[in-house]
């Protein structure tokens, strides 16, 4: 029996550690029949080392999503490797330290602008860089952390994720005519590289101990990876502009 991504070609960003959601998405994508290519920044060698733990060898491309030169050459590199693309996974987020950890009211605009550029605008710039390779349509899947709420310690990454969610909806609107779907997975907290950069992350994560209907495991990124792979597949052919919650159901619980 073939996998649900058999014959698909997918670009995946954000593979930093084996605990990354993106790593599990890449692993599952390969297991489900996809050919993949990875991008990395600022340390491609780190991603190359982690990529060796995937079921099949894969190329790693250096990509700073704020660098127009990197974005401009991406399509040629990917075309040489895969010929085209059927899917793109955006797993990129960054905010300077002074934009996190309870400093919301004192964060300078320069830091906010960096968070917005890397974490939200890059969904559009990455997709547009890949667009020439998606001649037969495809699926763009990004990662968010539920931006309906103000989370402890999360500070300016919250507005950045809200911008990401709005960006995905507008992309769904404008790319639908090319049969390109744009969706997000809203994952619960995980002990990933991103989490390690948030001061007081434990306070945020503890919310899941008390309110999540399904038991939530901070050490298990696979459910979120499965959500990404499902949205990359043809099993959601008419779903776009959506946010699929893979958070143990906490988003549905008021208190």
């Amino acid at each position: 029996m073939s996998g649900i991504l058999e014959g698909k070609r997918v670009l995946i960003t954000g593979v930093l550690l084996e605990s990354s959601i993106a790593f599990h998405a890449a692993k599952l994508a390969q297991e489900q029949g996809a050919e993949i290519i990875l991008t990395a920044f600022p340390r491609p060698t780190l991603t190359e080392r982690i990529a060796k733990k995937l079921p099949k060898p894969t190329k790693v491309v250096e990509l700073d999503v704020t660098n127009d030169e990197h974005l401009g050459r991406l399509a040629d590199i990917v075309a040489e490797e895969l010929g085209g693309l059927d899917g793109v996974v955006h797993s990129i987020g960054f905010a300077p330290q002074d934009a996190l950890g309870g400093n919301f009211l004192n964060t300078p605009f320069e830091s906010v602008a960096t968070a917005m550029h890397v974490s939200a605008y890059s969904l559009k710039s990455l997709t547009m860089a890949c667009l020439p390779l998606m001649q037969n349509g495809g699926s763009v899947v990004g990662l968010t952390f539920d931006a309906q709420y103000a989370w402890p310690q999360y500070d300016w990454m919250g507005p950045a994720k809200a911008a990401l969610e709005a960006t995905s909806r507008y992309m769904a609107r404008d790319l639908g005519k090319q049969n390109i779907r744009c969706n997000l997975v809203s994952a619960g907290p995980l002990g990933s590289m991103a989490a390690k950069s948030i001061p007081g992350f434990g306070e945020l994560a503890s919310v899941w101990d008390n309110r999540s209907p399904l038991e939530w495991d901070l050490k298990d990124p696979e459910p979120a990876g499965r959500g990404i792979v499902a949205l990359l597949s043809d099993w959601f052919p008419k779903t776009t502009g959506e946010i699929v919650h893979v958070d143990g159901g906490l988003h549905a619980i008021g208190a």
Side-chain angles (χ1 to χ4, degrees):
M1 182 177 177
S2 61
I4 62 171
L5 295 185
E6 195 68 40
K8 301 288 188 187
R9 301 156 298 177
V10 182
L11 179 143
I12 301 176
T13 66
V15 174
L16 294 174
L17 298 171
E18 203 168 346
S19 59
S20 302
I21 295 173
F23 174 85
H24 285 265
K27 177 175 178 289
L28 290 162
Q30 285 189 334
E31 290 172 352
Q32 290 298 318
E35 292 183 82
I36 68 170
I37 190 167
L38 305 179
T39 75
F41 189 80
R43 294 172 59 192
T45 53
L46 176 61
T47 298
E48 287 168 355
R49 191 158 62 245
I50 298 300
K52 291 177 181 176
K53 299 183 179 183
L54 291 170
K56 300 175 185 176
T58 183
K59 184 179 180 67
V60 176
V61 179
E62 183 180 21
L63 176 66
D64 174 0
V65 288
T66 68
N67 185 316
D68 288 341
E69 183 180 338
H70 283 200
L71 290 165
R73 71 190 186 205
L74 182 63
D76 288 341
I77 296 171
V78 176
E80 186 176 340
E81 187 72 14
L82 299 181
L85 282 175
D86 305 288
V88 175
V89 176
H90 179 279
S91 180
I92 300 169
F94 172 77
Q97 283 297 300
D98 61 358
L100 298 164
N103 196 47
F104 186 86
L105 296 178
N106 300 309
T107 304
F109 178 71
E110 290 76 14
S111 296
V112 174
T114 297
M116 291 289 178
H117 192 173
V118 177
S119 308
Y121 182 80
S122 65
L123 179 64
K124 192 279 299 187
S125 53
L126 174 65
T127 301
M128 294 306 291
C130 294
L131 193 61
L133 302 172
M134 303 177 78
Q135 295 298 313
N136 298 314
S139 175
V140 177
V141 184
L143 274 170
T144 188
F145 188 74
D146 202 332
Q148 297 178 86
Y149 307 106
W151 297 103
Q153 311 300 328
Y154 207 50
D155 291 356
W156 280 100
M157 276 302 292
K161 289 299 187 183
L164 175 75
E165 292 175 9
T167 300
S168 181
R169 288 189 287 270
Y170 277 92
M171 284 174 46
R173 182 195 70 180
D174 290 350
L175 295 176
K177 64 178 75 72
Q178 297 178 54
N179 198 32
I180 293 174
R181 297 172 283 122
C182 300
N183 296 289
L184 300 176
V185 167
S186 181
L190 293 161
S192 62
M193 180 72 84
K196 289 178 173 62
S197 69
I198 301 172
F201 173 77
E203 180 186 351
L204 187 159
S206 68
V207 176
W208 267 254
D209 294 335
N210 304 313
R211 285 175 48 201
S212 177
L214 298 175
E215 184 179 357
W216 186 255
D217 186 353
L218 288 170
K219 298 177 182 177
D220 186 10
E222 185 168 318
R226 285 177 177 265
I228 291 170
V229 168
L231 287 169
L232 288 170
S233 79
D234 294 331
W235 284 95
F236 286 87
K238 298 300 178 185
T239 297
T240 195
E242 186 60 273
I243 300 175
V244 175
H245 290 81
V246 183
D247 66 349
L250 185 135
H251 72 282
I253 305 301

